[in-house]
Amino acid sequence: MQTSSLVSRDLASRRCEIVVVGGGITGCVTAYHLARAGADVLLLERHDLNTQASGRNAGSLHGQIQHEPFLHQGEAWARGFVPALELMRDALPLWDGLGAELGVDLEVSRRGGVLVAETGDQLRDIERKVAVERAAGLPVRLLDRAELQEVAPYVSGRMAGGELCPDEGKVNSLVAAPAFAAAARRHGAVVETGVDVLDVQRRPGGFRLVTSRGTVDCTQLALTAGTDLAAFGELLGVRLPVTAEPVQVSVTERVEPLVPHLVYFAGEKLTLKQAGSGALLIGGGWPARRDRAGNPVLDPASLRANLRVAVTVVPAVARAQLLRTWVGVGNGTPDQSPLIGRVPSAPGLVVGMFPYMGLTAGPVVGRAVADLLLERDPGRDLTPFRPDRFAT
Ligand SMILES: Cc1cc2nc3c(=O)[nH]c(=O)nc-3n(C[C@H](O)[C@H](O)[C@H](O)COP(=O)(O)OP(=O)(O)OC[C@H]3O[C@@H](n4cnc5c(N)ncnc54)[C@H](O)[C@@H]3O)c2cc1C
């Protein structure tokens, strides 16, 4: 619970240079870099910090093209995804130093990721994906059956081979965004929780935000509101087709060291990893349901399927007691690439959001959003991520 939200109840007629809307990983990283550069920044979050996707995800640090979209959309899509893949690639080594920079143990470990194939056909699909990834400069390699057993002896002997992506790993997503927010505060950012931004009005030289706790005027605005970006797009007359898909993740009791890698499966959805605590985190994008009121709720059939796949790939998982399953709403875009950039029709506005794997990319995306607001060179071509690229 953030005490600031209890202390300052009213934002009436607040004025500041830059407002960041959204206290997930993207907004907290953005606020951190803005505050560090000396900007007058106010972060507004509807709930508490890190309570939506950024605090409900599985903590995977991804570095490879995800197998399922590759299967559905093929090489041409994968080649188009390479600029987004480069954001993930650049974020991975940054995570290693963030604990020291922010003064919080983020439980980062990067011992690699293993995509497991059960059949020869699946291995051939992986081989096609590896070819695109290697052409993009990723240090991935194909594993035959014997090499897979050597690298990952905990994987079922039935498995035919796989792919090793040495850069992948995990982070404790419960601590990452709050650590950025705390550091942002230390650098002078004001972080307000329990503030719902209800309307955005364009004003000469900036914006007026109508919130549940008063109005705020600002010169520039960073929208890092995750799945709510679609609604903000409607307010501003910009098409931001961000999808919101409820998915679930499970955690087991703590067990002896079993799985050092981030494990995926080429046959069905799976991510499996072992947190620093020893708990196994089991997910991979298995869908949750929505109840009649539209609230995301657990889908028991999805849970059973997810556990079946985990045990098929890593049989020892069957010995661990399941403790809890939760639901989060994942953010997507039609082409699976991020939205990062200014919106020409709304001067002063910068949008930041990385779909599906936005925890991994968060340190790079938030930094890029801050760079744009500060008129610093982001050091990379952001045109593939133009937020208005879906405008009809
Ligand atoms: C179950 C699940 C598992 C996942 N696993 C992984 C993984 O292992 N690795 C990985 O890299 N990614 C994973 N992801 C994706 C990742 O979590 C997201 O891409 C990322 O967290 C998005 O961060 P964000 O800051 O852009 O959005 P969010 O974390 O959703 O933050 C946006 C914030 O904006 C606030 N907000 C919205 N509208 C308003 C408003 N009007 N006023 C005020 N505040 C507002 C929201 O309350 C929210 O806190 C997973 C996602 C889910 C759901």
Side-chain angles (χ1 to χ4, degrees):
M1 175 71 71
Q2 302 296 314
T3 48
S4 64
S5 62
L6 298 176
V7 175
S8 68
R9 306 215 70 86
D10 192 357
L11 301 170
S13 305
R14 182 88 134 255
R15 178 177 295 278
C16 69
E17 194 185 327
I18 305 175
V19 170
V20 178
V21 180
I25 187 74
T26 316
C28 293
V29 174
T30 300
Y32 167 65
H33 286 292
L34 290 171
R36 232 173 60 148
D40 169 26
V41 55
L42 169 64
L43 184 150
L44 301 178
E45 164 56 49
R46 174 192 283 158
H47 304 292
D48 208 340
L49 295 174
N50 207 37
T51 48
Q52 302 309 304
S54 297
R56 293 169 184 248
N57 59 57
S60 307
L61 294 178
H62 300 286
Q64 61 181 283
I65 296 171
Q66 296 303 288
H67 196 61
E68 194 179 0
F70 176 75
L71 284 182
H72 290 133
Q73 299 176 70
E75 273 89 344
W77 166 79
R79 282 191 288 272
F81 185 73
V82 166
L85 191 64
E86 289 171 354
L87 298 184
M88 294 156 58
R89 176 201 65 195
D90 293 352
L92 289 171
L94 286 183
W95 278 107
D96 298 340
L98 283 172
E101 184 176 330
L102 302 174
V104 176
D105 181 5
L106 304 180
E107 298 172 36
V108 173
S109 157
R110 290 199 303 125
R111 296 178 65 184
V114 179
L115 168 61
V116 177
E118 187 172 21
T119 66
D121 281 351
Q122 289 170 8
L123 198 53
R124 278 185 285 282
D125 287 332
I126 293 178
E127 197 172 357
R128 289 192 295 118
K129 185 170 82 81
V130 164
V132 178
E133 291 167 336
R134 290 188 67 89
L138 286 198
V140 295
R141 71 179 169 98
L142 206 63
L143 305 171
D144 65 19
R145 187 184 297 271
E147 288 166 330
L148 175 64
Q149 284 301 318
E150 199 178 313
V151 167
Y154 53 84
V155 163
S156 162
R158 278 170 46 191
M159 298 298 151
E163 172 185 358
L164 177 67
C165 180
D167 291 342
E168 294 188 311
K170 61 199 174 191
V171 58
N172 185 339
S173 57
L174 294 175
V175 294
F180 275 104
R185 278 188 167 122
R186 287 197 295 277
H187 286 287
V190 177
V191 177
E192 293 280 359
T193 57
V195 182
D196 197 358
V197 178
L198 305 169
D199 194 15
V200 180
Q201 299 161 0
R202 279 189 248 174
R203 294 283 157 121
F207 300 90
R208 169 160 293 177
L209 306 187
V210 179
T211 85
S212 55
R213 291 198 359 227
T215 60
V216 182
D217 289 333
C218 59
T219 315
Q220 296 199 86
L221 176 62
L223 288 180
T224 55
T227 54
D228 285 276
L229 279 173
F232 277 106
E234 279 172 29
L235 287 177
L236 288 156
V238 188
R239 187 164 174 260
L240 301 175
V242 176
T243 56
E245 298 152 18
V247 288
Q248 48 198 49
V249 182
S250 298
V251 64
T252 72
E253 63 180 340
R254 296 168 186 206
V255 295
E256 291 297 305
L258 171 67
V259 185
H261 305 110
L262 165 59
V263 179
Y264 311 87
F265 183 44
E268 286 181 87
K269 296 173 194 295
L270 177 70
T271 60
L272 169 65
K273 75 189 75 65
Q274 190 160 18
S277 66
L280 298 170
L281 286 161
I282 304 171
W286 282 88
R289 289 186 293 115
R290 287 196 185 268
D291 66 14
R292 282 190 188 159
N295 298 312
V297 290
L298 184 137
D299 182 337
S302 222
L303 170 59
R304 276 193 294 275
N306 196 178
L307 299 181
R308 172 182 52 74
V309 175
V311 171
T312 302
V313 178
V314 181
V317 169
R319 296 202 297 269
Q321 193 73 38
L322 187 75
L323 287 187
R324 193 164 71 90
T325 301
W326 66 90
V327 177
V329 179
N331 53 333
T333 56
D335 57 7
Q336 316 235 352
S337 279
L339 306 176
I340 309 168
R342 291 192 173 275
V343 177
S345 61
L349 171 67
V350 177
V351 171
M353 194 215 71
F354 195 104
Y356 306 105
M357 294 175 285
L359 172 69
T360 302
V364 165
V365 176
R367 171 70 195 240
V369 172
D371 283 342
L372 291 172
L373 291 160
L374 295 165
E375 299 197 347
R376 290 191 307 212
D377 177 6
R380 65 175 75 240
D381 177 16
L382 296 174
T383 49
F385 315 131
R386 278 184 19 242
D388 62 346
R389 67 184 180 275
F390 301 103
T392 46

